[in-house]
Every structure is written in C-alpha cells, then in structure tokens.
Amino acid sequence: DTFPSLTLVSIGSMFQERFRLFWTQIGGVDGQEIWANQIRTAYSEPHRHYHTNLEELLAFTDQLSACFVDQLRVLGAIFFHDIIYSTRDAYPDNERMSALRWLEFAKQVVGDRAQQRFSAADVAMVYQMILDTKTHKLTTSRTLSLPPSFGQTPVVLTDPQWAAYQADGALFLDMDMAILGSSPERYAAYVGQIEAEFGHMTREAFNRGRAEALRQWRQYDEGSATPGLIPPFFQESPQGPRERRLFLSDRFFATHEAPAHRNIARELETRDRAV
C-alpha cells in the first residue's frame, strides 16, 4: 500500500465532508455548522504555516480506514488535536488546551450519551489521544482521568477498549508524525513552515531550540516502551547508541522510520553548523 503524499493543502471540502459525516455518526443534532466554523477558523489562523494540516491527516484516514478499530475516535482526535496552537507564551500548553476544547465539544454535542454514538470511554480516549501528542507516546495507564470541571469520574478501560486505544492511538500519533518521514523536498518545505511559525524568535535561538527538540525525538527512553503492543520502540545501531523508535505502528515504521532518521540527521547537521 502507498501513503498519500504530504503536500501543502488548505482546509476545504474534505474537512467539510468528513466533519459532516462525523457529526451524523456521533448523533449530533444542533450546532454542526457552528463547530465546523470554529475548527476551520482555528486551523486557518494567520500565524499557522504547517499546523493547518487537517486535510493531510484526513487523507491518511482514507488510506487506513480498514486498520482502525474505531475511526470515529480517530477523527475526533484529528479535528481537535491542534485546535489551540501558538508558539508564544500566551498558550504554554497547546495539547492540554486542545484536549479541553474537545471536552467542551463532547459535553455540548455528546452530552446525552443514552442516545449518542459516543460513550464516556470514547470521550476519554479521544481526550487522552490528544494529550499524547505532547510526547508522541501512549499512556501506560488504562485509567483515564478527566478534569473535575467536566464532572467525570476516572474511566477504567476494559481489555477491548484498552487494545483499541493502543492500536488507534499508535496510528493517530504516527499520522501526526508522518511528515518526518516524507521526501527530502517535502521535509524541507515543512522545516520552512515551522521556521515561519517561530518567526518571532532570533535565528540563533530557533536553531538551538529546534536542535534540542530533534535530539529529544531521537533519544533512547526506556519509558517509551509499551509491552505487548508492538516490537520495542528502539533499534540497536552498530554505529552508536540506541535511538528511539519514532513510529509506533509497524505499518508506519516500515515506510517512514528510515527516511525520518535521515531527514532529522540532515537537519541536525545544518542546525549544529549554524549555532
């Protein structure tokens, strides 16, 4: 199977159609266009250059539709995972604030769960998947806690729910990281987009911070492993220390892992020469 190429796209008809289907399937009634406009407006903010990529992720869901345990949960995570995004101090925790925005949506739209497609566990799993984008690691606890302000007791996932969260969560996080394993040309365009999003920083400060982030993505971390889900997240390199496995699912690992390490190594070399 092939993956869709990551090209520069705007938020348009694909988003509109997928959100309409998502809304219908979760049993939404009133407010569809209001929420669609809020999501579209957020991802179209002028300070975003790369983090407008809703339709790139939606293209992956078309390719991987047969691989998901529950595609609706994945769609919910896609729509809301970067709904709050800023590179400035005003939003120091984009992922947590985006996850809270999902809960606001769920409370309003999925409030009457007796008549809706989503259960409390579904809502909690999407919330956790959005939080997971901060580290691109899956949580190791099957007890998912929501903020008290949303009136939820902790949700303890059953064995099938836990397996579904791990499988779909891995694919979702891999889709979000797929840009790292794109072609050298697309990766270079992505880097330029990230630089534009941090245009308020000096070149020296950005180079230093970006290099640190790239190294953190690659570093060996025992705590990343999720026993029983997939093979270990790390590879023993004959040239040096072990590196973190970037992609969690075998599917993305096979197609994106090696190109991602080449792209990161190439960018790191450039950043290190610049500082």
Side-chain angles (χ1 to χ4, degrees):
D1 294 337
T2 59
F3 286 85
S5 61
L6 294 178
T7 56
L8 302 181
V9 295
S10 60
I11 299 171
S13 59
M14 181 183 291
F15 162 72
Q16 194 71 22
E17 176 64 17
R18 297 301 186 281
F19 188 76
R20 183 186 65 80
L21 291 173
F22 173 74
W23 183 275
T24 300
Q25 290 173 10
I26 65 173
V29 182
D30 298 323
Q32 174 188 335
E33 195 56 37
I34 292 174
W35 278 101
N37 285 335
Q38 288 186 24
I39 295 170
R40 188 187 302 107
T41 299
Y43 284 89
S44 301
E45 291 168 331
H47 65 272
R48 298 181 187 233
H49 299 271
Y50 171 69
H51 289 84
T52 62
N53 60 333
L54 270 184
E55 298 208 347
E56 293 178 344
L57 297 180
L58 292 174
F60 275 123
T61 65
D62 289 347
Q63 281 281 327
L64 301 172
S65 59
C67 302
F68 299 121
V69 179
D70 190 328
Q71 188 169 344
L72 284 182
R73 286 194 293 259
V74 176
L75 287 172
I78 288 173
F79 292 139
F80 283 88
H81 78 291
D82 277 333
I83 194 168
I84 303 296
Y85 178 75
S86 175
T87 60
R88 296 179 181 270
D89 292 340
Y91 297 105
D93 195 344
N94 293 315
E95 297 82 6
R96 183 182 64 84
M97 296 181 70
S98 293
L100 291 175
R101 195 79 176 109
W102 157 255
L103 291 182
E104 292 173 7
F105 170 85
K107 189 174 183 179
Q108 176 180 327
V109 178
V110 197
D112 185 3
R113 295 190 179 88
Q115 300 179 23
Q116 304 289 350
R117 165 66 175 79
F118 260 38
S119 67
D122 291 320
V123 171
M125 280 189 273
V126 173
Y127 173 75
Q128 185 60 50
M129 289 163 65
I130 296 171
L131 292 180
D132 292 342
T133 62
K134 188 174 184 67
T135 59
H136 282 89
K137 302 174 187 176
L138 298 169
T139 184
T140 57
S141 172
R142 66 171 65 202
T143 300
L144 306 182
S145 298
L146 276 63
S149 58
F150 287 88
Q152 295 292 329
T153 57
V155 175
V156 180
L157 301 183
T158 64
D159 287 345
Q161 289 170 338
W162 178 239
Y165 156 75
Q166 290 183 310
D168 288 347
L171 286 171
F172 165 67
L173 293 178
D174 284 355
M175 291 189 297
D176 196 38
M177 291 281 276
I179 188 65
L180 299 182
S182 59
S183 70
E185 295 77 17
R186 178 63 183 100
Y187 185 84
Y190 149 75
V191 169
Q193 292 170 310
I194 296 299
E195 289 177 342
E197 290 182 345
F198 285 86
H200 57 282
M201 297 179 64
T202 66
R203 174 69 64 175
E204 179 181 3
F206 177 81
N207 284 335
R208 187 178 299 110
R210 176 71 177 175
E212 180 181 350
L214 293 172
R215 289 192 174 89
Q216 288 177 352
W217 282 343
R218 300 177 70 189
Q219 70 184 358
Y220 178 67
D221 179 359
E222 289 283 1
S224 296
T226 305
L229 173 61
I230 54 176
F233 288 9
F234 318 106
Q235 310 304 305
E236 190 72 56
S237 169
Q239 288 78 33
R242 286 183 289 181
E243 294 179 337
R244 175 184 172 186
R245 173 169 167 165
L246 295 170
F247 294 95
L248 311 186
S249 67
D250 287 341
R251 187 182 183 94
F252 275 87
F253 179 81
T255 56
H256 284 65
E257 186 78 12
H261 280 286
R262 288 194 295 268
N263 285 332
I264 291 174
R266 191 182 304 112
E267 185 185 354
L268 264 175
E269 183 179 354
T270 301
R271 299 291 174 196
D272 287 340
R273 286 200 307 265
V275 293

